[in-house]
Amino acid sequence: MIAPAMAAEFDDVAGWTADAVEHLGERYAIPAACRGSADPAGLAWLAEACELTAGTRLLDVGAGVGGPAAWAAERFGVRPLLLEPMPSACRAAARLFGLPVVTAEGGRIPLRGGSVDAAWCLGVLDTVQDKAAVLSEIHRVLRPGAPLGLLAVVARHPTVLPAPEGNLFPTGRELAELLTGTGFDLIERIDRPGGAPLSWTRRAERAAATVAAAHGTDRAHSLAVRQGQSLTRLLAAGEISMRLIHSRRR
Ligand SMILES: C[S@@+](CC[C@H](N)C(=O)[O-])C[C@H]1O[C@@H](n2cnc3c(N)ncnc32)[C@H](O)[C@@H]1O
């Protein structure tokens, strides 16, 4: 069962974010809907590493509200397919970007084997118990030799305390072993990516402030805020860090 704080963050706040964007305007959509901490530089690194081009069929596993996939469609002309288990997030992504969305878990992807050209999975694995099941399913639906781009939150030590509710951060070594064990070759990685321009951060923050103004007294909002603060503290203390990974299906 999904932890209440995660349901709040990934479902309730996801839906409210779409409302906020509709109120603020279209140019807020992508920054507000990138909810796995990917920014333009990180997304560009992943898109170039995965050699995305116009027409690439890109599966985004745990796509959330769809910001990264919409960014890839807008900048690289890919044809995204979003997979996301949270119903409100799916509705929000369809509403904001009109992209095709499948409501499903990464551990059971309802697609034919070898049917996608590339996959992304951004900020998802640390929220999932059975990471090998998700990676194995991504492996099955990718065609041989296809790229997988990951944004992963990795732990410095095997146990992170106090972990935000529902999070299970792998260490860098555990993640590398998981990838190898599920049939991926690790091509390249960069640590601690970051540095969104102010114009992007301001739009994301304004959308978050609009959500807070409308729902700040809601329990789901408080839970999601606490979850975010806990992650920020661990990042600042160096207990966890962001990593971008380019791997390839064997
Ligand atoms: C931190 S958010 C990242 C969302 C999106 N990838 C982004 O970068 O904006 C993590 C997402 O993973 C999704 N998720 C959680 N468990 C999952 C699972 N078993 N399979 C696929 N997605 C999952 C959550 O619902 C949530 O939308």
Side-chain angles (χ1 to χ4, degrees), residues 2 6 9-11 33-38 60-68 83-86 89 104-107 121-129 134 151:
I2 187 140
M6 288 199 158
E9 189 181 0
F10 301 148
D11 211 35
C34 281
R35 306 184 53 79
S37 300
D60 191 357
V61 176
V65 190
L83 183 124
E84 165 61 43
M86 294 289 162
E105 300 255 345
C121 187
L122 311 182
V124 178
L125 285 180
D126 61 283
T127 71
V128 170
Q129 295 254 351
V134 172
L151 183 151

Side-chain angles (χ1 to χ4, degrees), residues 152-177:
V153 185
V154 291
R156 188 152 57 129
H157 306 295
T159 311
V160 175
L161 287 174
E165 193 184 333
N167 283 89
L168 292 159
F169 304 108
T171 61
R173 175 188 288 203
E174 284 164 352
L175 186 56
E177 285 171 1

Side-chain angles (χ1 to χ4, degrees), residues 45 49-50 147-149 185-189 244-248:
W45 188 91
C50 294
L148 166 64
D185 289 326
L186 208 161
I187 310 295
E188 194 183 2
R189 65 165 220 232
L244 297 181
I245 297 174
H246 168 214
S247 51
R248 190 186 296 134

